[in-house]
Amino acid sequence: MPIYKAPVADTLFVLNDVLGYERYANLPGFADAGPDMLEAILGEAARVAENVMHPLNRVGDEQGCVRHEDGSVTTPKGFKEAYDQYREGGWMSLSLPAEFGGQGLPYTIHSAVGEYMSSANMALMMYPGLTQGAIAAILVHGTDEQKQTYVPKMTEGVWTGTMNLTEPHCGTDLGLLRTRAVPTGTGSYKISGQKIFISAGDHDMAENIIHLVLARIEGAPEGTKGISLFIVPKFKLDADGNPGEKNGVSCGSIEEKMGIHGNSTCVMNYDDAEGFLIGAENGGLRAMFVMMNEARLGVGLQGLSISEIAYQNAVAYAKERIQGRSLSGPKAPELKADPIIVHPDIRRNLMNMKAINEAGRALLLWTALQADVTRSSPDEAARQTAEDHMGLMTPIIKGVLTDKGFDHAVMAQQVFGGHGYIEEHGMSQFVRDARIAMIYEGANGIQALDLVGRKLAMNGGRAVQTFFKEVGDFCEENRANEQMAPFTKGIKKGLNDLQAATMWLMQNAMAKPDNAGAASTDYMHLFGLVALGYMWGRMVKTAQEKIAAGETAPLYEGKLVTGRYFMDRIMPETSAHLARISSGADSMMALDAEAF
Amino acid sequence: MPIYKAPVADTLFVLNDVLGYERYANLPGFADAGPDMLEAILGEAARVAENVMHPLNRVGDEQGCVRHEDGSVTTPKGFKEAYDQYREGGWMSLSLPAEFGGQGLPYTIHSAVGEYMSSANMALMMYPGLTQGAIAAILVHGTDEQKQTYVPKMTEGVWTGTMNLTEPHCGTDLGLLRTRAVPTGTGSYKISGQKIFISAGDHDMAENIIHLVLARIEGAPEGTKGISLFIVPKFKLDADGNPGEKNGVSCGSIEEKMGIHGNSTCVMNYDDAEGFLIGAENGGLRAMFVMMNEARLGVGLQGLSISEIAYQNAVAYAKERIQGRSLSGPKAPELKADPIIVHPDIRRNLMNMKAINEAGRALLLWTALQADVTRSSPDEAARQTAEDHMGLMTPIIKGVLTDKGFDHAVMAQQVFGGHGYIEEHGMSQFVRDARIAMIYEGANGIQALDLVGRKLAMNGGRAVQTFFKEVGDFCEENRANEQMAPFTKGIKKGLNDLQAATMWLMQNAMAKPDNAGAASTDYMHLFGLVALGYMWGRMVKTAQEKIAAGETAPLYEGKLVTGRYFMDRIMPETSAHLARISSGADSMMALDAEAF
């Protein structure tokens, strides 16, 4: 049975010591959540994740969801009760606006808590996770009446939400979608069509489910310009706003998936379902993007979450399993063999996971703080910088942390040897669950294209230049600091490779767009390495300052070693990425399709 | 439903044109299998793989194996019939010695055929695969009587074999094993203990199962020096050598695994089972290694097999699925969108798989030819060189091709987007099946240690120096050939990195063995890249010669492009490996176990 312990001390180190959480106290929400309150909330979140969510993780995988003949769906045993505890504990409403019943706390805290909950039970956390995205779309694009009608119940968690984009023939290319919306003349629409891969599409945990559905209004233009977004409740609301008559929407089947069995992934059939336009007619794609950006950060967080719990279990096994002797002589002579954590190749796996998890956590929390700035800072310049940061980092966080999350689940499973391949140890579940995060909310190849094709050039490259300057300045400022030299040297080398790749793209992608596409995934990972390396620079500097001030703690010592490992073993990958990018698209694109 | 087509043309190109198959005609077995016969055998093997084995692959995954209350095991529907066709077709006996009923054909052909069969149905092919290993051990270490008793029936395939090494507390470290053997005084032993992860441990496909079991004879020394190997038949043989009374061995349970559901992976309980010593008392580990080396090459082959079928399905999907438009303008304007094979990032995945699969196939077949030389060449020097080659390449083939095989299954799944995550498309099965190959027959970390800790220094580094010289000479010989320049340049750069890493190891691993452990996995992959790159050099040169001679064919053109892709996009990784290796063990080993 896998273990899990929320890494509260690391979250607090990053937020308080590295990122200067207290500097944000002027923003709304932060005033109510000073460092003491932050610690208390994280402590309580840890308790819920460890004791309520985590024990159901294997259960969810084993039992999965069941669709009954009437189209209703039952979630795994215990899921509803755990979800009730979650929403009654106020975890759903944490960072939602007070005017709709939320607690108005920072999004940053919501993110920190989200990591723990998704580590503990990714499949279960998707039910409230999708609801957060749906709420965000209604808050941004809905009318006041729509907000009043739906958001309070969703904030409370008694109703949940979904996102309905994909159809059998269209996923990435939403311009192809066929679901139709016919105006009734009374302000509503009749929605008909089939949507697939709908997470939390139907279940038994909420009194109503608010589907946000992309569809094409009769007569609308073809392609993405003719898509509108609709609210389609599972149960139509009666005059008092309570769920009444069943709407024309139902779960046609549950997909049999590789993982996240605890989440019901539904084929949803819409048959003249009553729907209400949200946002502008034919402006559906823009409205949906609000949900998608938030969701993409959430998926990046899932990558970290699975990586963290997989890591913790690999560590526990490596300390307990005895096999062979250390190459440098017995370390546990009283036993018949040493614990396998003495073996370098086991360490390599553990250190890789640790080095990327800790930097990934810092990158996510840094970005979450920027999200809070974009939401509520009174300073326009600060908001713009924060928006730039988020736009730039969203595809990187989604693409890189989910690729790494999966790799790490595989590494952790490898530490278990043959036992890792047996389902009862739970390591296979981490691999199978982590796999989806590379695919949904825009496959990682799409994230890379978003980065290279949109984010890089946006506003004349402002976001990327700001980032390069910040990282470059950090290296410059610490040039005289000898203790920092191995770190600034590694970061600087990575930054140079990233800047060279950026320059190569500027010079070669305009004339030949395939060069951008051919470079995209490598560029995303190269960027991710530099961003993670920069996080290591900041963490190490903070730890050095703490130690210099006499505050020794294993956490600080650990940062120095792990940061060094990152520079020694992970940062060198930047040069391979640069070499690949600079080779261009020629050998990648030269073969005729028939030659494959 | 996944597709599969055996890559016969590529196998023939590699064997006939690149590796000079006809030059081996003087070896026994090859005389009976000239180029025409080779082509006929491969064609027939393709038919069996595609039409008999492949249709059962999904069935095996879905149904799995069932253990009944009496301990008997039923394999998935159709497996027994397919296995009967396989053995009746002579595929089991292909390269086994004629004196025991085999056909005495080259091991190379057995390997080529094995790739197709494992692509088509890896789980099913493990039943005969384990039997091959067991036969090899009996042939090398058994008495004449043991050979006569067991090998003919196993060659015919009416009996199958297993390897029983692992116990719950010991996998890699066999010195810890506890299974006991008590002499009966009449030449046999009573074997008692529990073995786990026994592939094909029990099933309904054979009349008897010949278990090869590692156990410790009462009073034997502790550790690996006190281990002996025993033959334990499922049914004791009567006076006529036919299966009679049930022996004291039974399947206690079937493991619930991540993949290869069609293979019965058993917990085997030995309870005073009658066993017969094979090989020397306390010489069991050495005897078992005979099986393991053969098995390791077989597992490397599985890596290629899954990679190939995953690739083929990704290609088919990428040609058929339409989504979005090419960055360089519509390629299929008559459709609503272009097939996704026009997108560079999709190509990147396909080209990565293609570039490594084709070189992996060449490396495997080259090594298989060396196996034939070691078996039957009259030339002692040639045998020694071939043995050196095999010893060196076995861990590389096992470790690198299974790591890549898994990566490629994941890449192929990614090409399918969300559909790849749904079990019915079969891509998840490839990922789940491929995962075990990185673990069993020595986890890949162990392969890396075997390479760095044993193979590298063996006979004063003779094997590795021979390889370096061959690759260096190839680059030198083709220096004046301008068409070859991009290839020899890439290979030479990789070889330089590999030689630098080797030098670093020589200088740093003796004094501090952890430096070797810390370098091992990177070194294995670095070596693999150079070996695969060298295969590309040879394939490209052959293709260029064919084209120069007027023999144009898409296969030859494809080699030029794909080889170039390898040099552009894959070979650059060697520098990252070298950088990691040279960073040493310090940051990897510095943390206390408690700090994880």
Side-chain angles (χ1 to χ4, degrees), chain A residues 134-146:
Chain A
I135 292 171
I138 298 174
L139 285 177
V140 175
H141 294 283
T143 62
D144 284 345
E145 194 195 333
Q146 286 173 332

Side-chain angles (χ1 to χ4, degrees), chain B residues 93 96-103 152 155-156:
Chain B
S93 63
L96 293 173
E99 62 176 307
F100 300 109
Q103 300 169 63
T155 298
E156 201 186 336

Side-chain angles (χ1 to χ4, degrees), chain A residues 287-301:
Chain A
M288 202 53 135
F289 265 116
V290 172
M291 295 166 66
M292 276 166 52
N293 274 331
E294 183 131 340
R296 284 173 175 184
L297 283 177
V299 174
L301 194 72

